[in-house]
Amino acid sequence: MKQSDVLIKPYVTEKSLNLMNGTPIQKFKDGNKIEFLVNRDADKADIKTAFEEYFEVKVEKVWTRIQKDGKHAIIKLAEGYSAEDVGTRVGVF
């Protein structure tokens, strides 16, 4: 699978915006995550590689789930990288 076919678009909801910043209940330690719609055939390794190459960041972990509107990937960035910066670059804000 080509790298350009893996990431489709960012998925923006109130809950996904909370993933970027974290929540007050967890003292904002659960943030630094961003959610994307991805190709249904992409596995976690493909998503991690494509995201790291496209945005020039390091990914710590990837979670995936399949819903009616497609496959969603929640991507946690490594320490020292900001999900808000990536969100700004792709037009989430």
Side-chain angles (χ1 to χ4, degrees):
M1 177 177 296
K2 292 191 308 185
Q3 299 292 346
S4 60
D5 295 338
V6 175
L7 301 173
I8 298 173
K9 65 179 182 177
Y11 186 73
V12 182
T13 61
E14 184 177 351
K15 187 174 181 179
S16 67
L17 290 176
N18 282 340
L19 291 173
M20 284 186 182
N21 303 323
T23 55
I25 295 171
Q26 297 292 326
K27 299 183 181 171
F28 300 103
K29 294 180 182 177
D30 59 338
N32 210 24
K33 299 173 188 164
I34 190 164
E35 188 167 351
F36 267 78
L37 285 173
V38 296
N39 189 316
R40 199 173 184 106
D41 297 328
D43 60 4
K44 291 179 182 183
D46 291 337
I47 296 166
K48 180 179 179 178
T49 303
F51 197 85
E52 286 179 339
E53 288 180 8
Y54 190 75
F55 293 107
E56 298 175 353
V57 296
K58 293 289 180 187
V59 173
E60 185 176 318
K61 189 168 181 173
V62 176
W63 295 271
T64 58
R65 69 178 187 273
I66 297 176
Q67 294 185 313
K68 290 181 181 180
D69 60 345
K71 187 172 187 175
H72 293 245
I74 297 175
I75 302 162
K76 180 173 177 66
L77 301 183
E79 193 71 33
Y81 297 96
S82 173
E84 291 180 3
D85 290 341
V86 174
T88 301
R89 284 194 270 171
V90 294
V92 171
F93 295 112

